[in-house]
Amino acid sequence: MDCRIIKSPGEGTLAILNRRKGSGPKSALETPDAVGLVQGKLIEMVCAADVAEKAVGVTVEDIRGSCPQNMILLAIFGDTASVESAIEEIKRKDKERKW
């Protein structure tokens, strides 16, 4: 699993994510303070989405793409502290393998 955080994402970055998010561009999100990106296997990403939503008040979206290795990308939208907390909780659960 690979994780990154983008603090104060730019307009272009948000446009890319809004175009590619699973719920489609019609439901564009308010401008978030931060975006967490988490990539991994489908089973890990479903569990990671659940962990993030339960840990703090964030919005989680799947990001469509075509990856030959069948990796899935999640975007976690919210304020910086919440996104950081969600990513840390995902990493902790993954390390402990307590999905």
Side-chain angles (χ1 to χ4, degrees):
M1 184 172 356
D2 195 11
C3 302
R4 301 281 193 284
I5 295 177
I6 302 171
K7 296 178 182 177
S8 300
E11 234 178 83
T13 301
L14 291 174
I16 290 168
L17 292 171
N18 271 316
R19 280 193 308 270
R20 299 180 69 84
K21 64 189 180 74
S23 64
K26 292 179 185 172
S27 58
L29 295 163
E30 305 254 341
T31 303
D33 292 336
V35 178
L37 300 173
V38 185
Q39 183 179 29
K41 297 176 185 174
L42 178 59
I43 191 169
E44 294 171 334
M45 295 304 94
V46 171
C47 293
D50 186 60
V51 167
E53 288 179 334
K54 289 177 179 175
V56 290
V58 294
T59 301
V60 180
E61 290 276 353
D62 65 309
I63 303 299
R64 295 184 312 253
S66 57
C67 177
Q69 293 83 17
N70 294 314
M71 301 295 273
I72 305 299
L73 179 65
L74 295 179
I76 302 169
F77 299 92
D79 64 80
T80 302
S82 295
V83 171
E84 287 175 340
S85 293
I87 295 288
E88 288 307 313
E89 187 66 11
I90 289 167
K91 287 179 179 179
R92 187 180 70 74
K93 294 277 189 179
D94 184 52
K95 186 177 181 180
E96 295 174 0
R97 293 285 183 202
K98 292 191 178 180
W99 298 111

